[in-house]
């Protein structure tokens, strides 16, 4: 058998009934596969080797009832060591263990335990006590199992509290999310109602404007039906008024032209021209006529007063 684990034939050679002695074999690792092929080997002695750790598949050797791992260099046991539920006798003397895995509490059939000469945690060392005789080793098994069960229960309670806190946090997040969604729905509903009301006001305003236009149109049509002759009669005065304005503009233009010509004939060298002589004569006649007209008005005014 090699140091890394022996052949199946070699293990069978070492099997004596239900006991398999692999002590003092200078083993660095446990031949788990070969051991699994020997389910009759319920008693396994691996003491006095160089084992630093046990592989995780070691815990599949459910047929083990008695296990001796004393005088190795084990620093820890596999986390699922509690799977070895049929284990009744466990010797861990003189290793380097500080703590035990929580799953150790599942070894409900354990009746004998030796943890002497390990750098155990003070609390665990106090619980385990000494294992100097059969009675003390049995008490150690009972007390350590109770201690590990208490640790397991506390961890379970912590895990439950953590799960409860996570569930409450999840419920809180869900409630906040629902509240947020409800608020968003309410906001969308309010915006939709406001938009509907705005469109309704626009529709009412357009309808009122349309009705007002139709009302004015009907009123104008009614007025046109009631007084068609007055409408036609009102048109000639407008034409006459427009014609009188045109005549007045023409007279003003002629007067302006006459005054311009008069100014030219009075103030420039053109006054000696025949046209300017006629213009000046006409102007003097008009002035004389206006003076005579004024004298006549004064006489008539005096006679009326007498």
């Amino acid at each position: 058998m090699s140091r890394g684990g022996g052949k199946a034939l070699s293990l069978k050679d070492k099997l004596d009934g239900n006991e398999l002695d692999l002590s003092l074999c200078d083993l660095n690792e446990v031949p788990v596969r070969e051991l699994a092929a020997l389910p009759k080997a319920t008693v396994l002695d691996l003491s006095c080797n160089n084992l630093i750790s046990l592989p995780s598949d070691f815990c599949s050797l459910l047929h083990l009832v008695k296990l001796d791992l004393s005088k190795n260099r084990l620093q820890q046991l596999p986390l699922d060591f509690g799977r070895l539920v049929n284990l009744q006798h466990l010797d861990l003397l003189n290793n380097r263990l500080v703590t035990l895995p929580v799953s150790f509490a599942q070894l409900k059939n354990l009746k004998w335990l030796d943890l002497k000469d390990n750098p155990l945690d003070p609390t665990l060392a106090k619980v385990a006590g000494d294992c100097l005789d059969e009675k003390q080793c049995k008490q150690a098994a009972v007390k350590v199992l109770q201690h590990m069960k208490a640790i397991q229960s506390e961890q379970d309670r912590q895990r439950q509290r953590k799960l409860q806190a996570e569930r409450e946090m999840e419920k809180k997040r869900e409630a906040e999310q629902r509240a947020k969604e409800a608020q968003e729905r309410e906001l969308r509903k309010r915006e939709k109602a406001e938009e509907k009301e705005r469109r309704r006001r626009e529709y009412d305003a357009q309808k009122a404007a349309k009705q007002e236009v139709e009302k004015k149109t009907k009123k104008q049509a009614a007025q046109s039906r009631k007084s068609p002759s007055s409408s036609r009669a009102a048109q000639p005065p407008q034409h006459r008024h427009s014609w009188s304005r045109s005549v007045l503009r023409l007279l003003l233009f002629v007067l302006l032209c006459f005054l311009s010509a008069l100014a030219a004939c009075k103030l420039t060298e053109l006054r000696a021209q025949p046209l300017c002589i006629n213009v000046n004569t006409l102007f003097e006649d008009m002035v004389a006529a206006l003076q005579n007209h004024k004298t006549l008005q004064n006489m008539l005014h005096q006679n009326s007063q007498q």
Side-chain angles (χ1 to χ4, degrees), residues 188-199:
R188 288 195 298 268
K189 184 178 179 180
R190 186 164 57 251
E191 290 177 349
K192 186 176 180 180
E194 291 176 354
E195 176 65 17
K196 185 176 181 180
E197 181 62 23
R198 184 186 65 79
R199 292 171 59 187

Side-chain angles (χ1 to χ4, degrees), residues 31 45 53 90 220 228 245 303:
D45 188 354
S53 63
L90 178 60
Q220 291 176 357
R245 284 201 300 269
N303 289 332

